[in-house]
Amino acid sequence: MNRMDEIIDLLRQKDFQKYLYSWENLSDEKKSNVLSEFNLNHQDIEFARTLLLSLDFKECEQTEDDVDNSLEETIWKIAEREKKLTPSQNKLRKIVTTFSRIAAILLLPLLVYTIFFRNNITVPEIEPQMLTVISQPGTVTKLILPDSTETFLNAGSSITYPSYFEGNERKVSISGEAYFNVVKNKDMPMVVHTNDLNVKVYGTSFNVTAFPAENYTKVTLVEGSIALSLHGKRINGSNEYKMVPGQTITYAEVASKLAVEFKDPLLYTSWKDGKLIFRNTTFESVLEQLARKYNVQIVLKDNSLASIPMDATFTNETVDDILRLLSYGTPFMYSYEKPQKLSDGTFTKSKIYIEKRTN
């Protein structure tokens, strides 16, 4: 099915028609949601609106008689442009009128092609549009890419991808943390770009962490196989580094080295299911993950606490519950600073101070 046929199929949906009729009055956020929901770009929308308005349809939620009358009127408007109808055409009119009531939905593609090609209207060439989805602080966002790849974005992360994939690769870019369950396509691999690494995938499940402020990229392969490469550089003396399941690779740009480890992938992927699993995890890393998950600012006032290892699993606990439980076995105490109201009416993040317990 080509792009034009896909849009024609969408025109049959009442919900989609509603969006087209009210498009000019929608907010930018709502327009973005509609584009994402139907896998369209702005050119697609303008094309669809042109088709819909050309068909002289009335507002949605109309009776079947209204639809029949609008459809019949449109058919004969086209015919009347060719001057007057001949007697044989009058007979044809009766046939088409009857048929339109029986199978109006089947005539939509015919009408579209008739309107565009009988009147020498050029069908616009529809190019893929780049879309960006941002996962707000304190939330995990799930989305489906145009090839049906399932993707999760951790809080404060973003992904940029085209409205549909074309060419030899399925290219996407991320900032932050994302989990992918990639649909297999050996002829068109997916390539995930971060600031430092390219991750080439044919069909597999893996996690990528690449927050700009953390100065490293971490990739965990759950199943399948992937190949890592650097932007214009060799990696460990080769053009690519192939990973195996259960492997986690950390690349630090400053050292230009790969650190390889084999740990339970759940340690790096459980966030997508709302869990926090810590196994010999430094206290500093624990605080970073808590700050991201609960959208708070955590200030570690004593660096001697940073490297203390933690072992724990949390699911539905609040940040206060987690800190309280961790403090039972670790010599620290914590306090809160209330959010401050800003001049624009918004509030600052809650701030938590961590310091060493002296008694």
Side-chain angles (χ1 to χ4, degrees):
M1 180 180 292
N2 61 37
R3 195 65 173 165
M4 186 172 180
D5 289 337
E6 292 174 358
I7 293 175
I8 291 172
D9 282 344
L10 287 176
L11 284 173
R12 298 187 176 109
Q13 301 180 23
K14 287 189 175 182
D15 287 345
F16 185 63
Q17 291 178 22
K18 288 180 182 178
Y19 289 133
L20 294 183
Y21 282 122
S22 60
W23 186 255
E24 297 298 334
N25 297 322
L26 297 181
S27 65
D28 290 341
E29 181 180 2
K30 183 61 178 177
K31 289 180 179 179
S32 178
N33 291 339
V34 172
L35 293 176
S36 178
E37 177 183 353
F38 293 99
N39 189 24
L40 299 173
N41 57 43
H42 287 286
Q43 286 180 308
D44 296 336
I45 288 292
E46 291 306 314
F47 181 43
R49 293 184 72 224
T50 300
L51 294 183
L52 189 63
L53 297 176
S54 296
L55 291 174
D56 288 345
F57 281 156
K58 297 179 182 178
E59 192 67 27
C60 294
E61 304 300 337
Q62 54 195 327
T63 66
E64 292 184 5
D65 287 340
D66 289 334
V67 174
D68 291 340
N69 293 335
S70 296
L71 186 60
E72 181 182 346
E73 181 182 353
T74 302
I75 294 171
W76 298 109
K77 277 185 178 179
I78 297 170
E80 286 166 1
R81 289 175 186 168
E82 304 294 328
K83 309 283 185 174
K84 295 181 179 179
L85 299 174
T86 65
S88 61
Q89 287 174 322
N90 278 323
K91 183 180 295 184
L92 175 63
R93 176 171 188 160
K94 294 180 181 179
I95 297 173
V96 174
T97 298
T98 302
F99 180 71
S100 68
R101 291 194 174 97
I102 298 173
I105 199 67
L106 298 178
L107 287 175
L108 181 56
L110 174 62
L111 286 174
V112 170
Y113 284 102
T114 303
I115 291 169
F116 271 76
F117 295 109
R118 290 195 87 163
N119 296 283
N120 298 317
I121 299 176
T122 302
V123 178
E125 184 176 347
I126 302 173
E127 297 293 336
Q129 180 181 3
M130 298 308 295
L131 307 173
T132 298
V133 175
I134 300 173
S135 185
Q136 297 302 312
T139 64
V140 172
T141 301
K142 178 182 177 180
L143 67 149
I144 304 298
L145 299 183
D147 64 339
S148 297
T149 287
E150 185 180 57
T151 307
F152 294 84
L153 289 181
N154 206 345
S157 305
S158 66
I159 183 171
T160 300
Y161 61 95
S163 55
Y164 63 92
F165 294 114
E166 62 177 0
N168 298 323
E169 295 178 333
R170 294 170 282 171
K171 298 180 181 179
V172 303
S173 300
I174 71 157
S175 175
E177 186 166 26
Y179 178 91
F180 293 87
N181 189 8
V182 179
V183 171
K184 292 182 180 180
N185 186 341
K186 64 179 182 180
D187 297 321
M188 185 186 287
M190 176 172 286
V191 178
V192 179
H193 298 279
T194 71
N195 285 334
D196 301 323
L197 289 175
N198 300 320
V199 184
K200 192 173 186 179
V201 190
Y202 291 92
T204 186
S205 299
F206 65 100
N207 194 83
V208 180
T209 305
F211 286 99
E214 295 182 352
N215 298 316
Y216 68 84
T217 300
K218 187 185 294 289
V219 182
T220 299
L221 179 59
V222 178
E223 61 180 23
S225 62
I226 57 179
L228 307 182
S229 62
L230 292 171
H231 302 304
K233 300 179 184 177
R234 293 172 68 82
I235 185 168
N236 277 19
S238 303
N239 292 328
E240 291 185 336
Y241 182 94
K242 293 185 178 180
M243 294 181 62
V244 297
Q247 193 176 52
T248 294
I249 297 292
T250 302
Y251 174 76
E253 184 178 12
V254 175
S256 296
K257 290 183 179 180
L258 293 181
V260 183
E261 59 182 347
F262 285 89
K263 291 184 178 180
D264 187 346
L266 279 176
L267 294 175
Y268 303 108
T269 64
S270 61
W271 60 266
K272 71 181 179 65
D273 300 312
K275 296 181 180 180
L276 291 173
I277 300 177
F278 305 124
R279 296 291 183 270
N280 199 32
T281 307
T282 64
F283 188 40
E284 183 177 38
S285 178
V286 168
L287 295 180
E288 289 174 357
Q289 294 182 57
L290 292 179
R292 186 177 304 129
K293 178 177 175 61
Y294 294 99
N295 192 28
V296 296
Q297 183 178 354
I298 301 180
V299 180
L300 183 60
K301 299 181 70 174
D302 191 328
N303 286 330
S304 66
L305 298 169
S307 60
I308 295 177
M310 298 282 178
D311 289 272
T313 299
F314 301 104
T315 303
N316 298 316
E317 295 82 357
T318 66
V319 65
D320 187 73
D321 290 337
I322 293 175
L323 291 175
R324 177 173 51 81
L325 292 169
L326 292 176
S327 68
Y328 291 156
T330 308
F332 76 89
M333 58 184 183
Y334 59 97
S335 59
Y336 288 87
E337 178 181 287
K338 291 183 178 180
Q340 303 296 314
K341 188 174 183 179
L342 302 176
S343 58
D344 61 359
T346 61
F347 288 83
T348 60
K349 285 185 179 181
S350 294
K351 187 176 290 187
I352 302 175
Y353 293 97
I354 306 290
E355 52 189 322
K356 194 168 186 178
R357 190 170 60 233
T358 56
N359 53 359

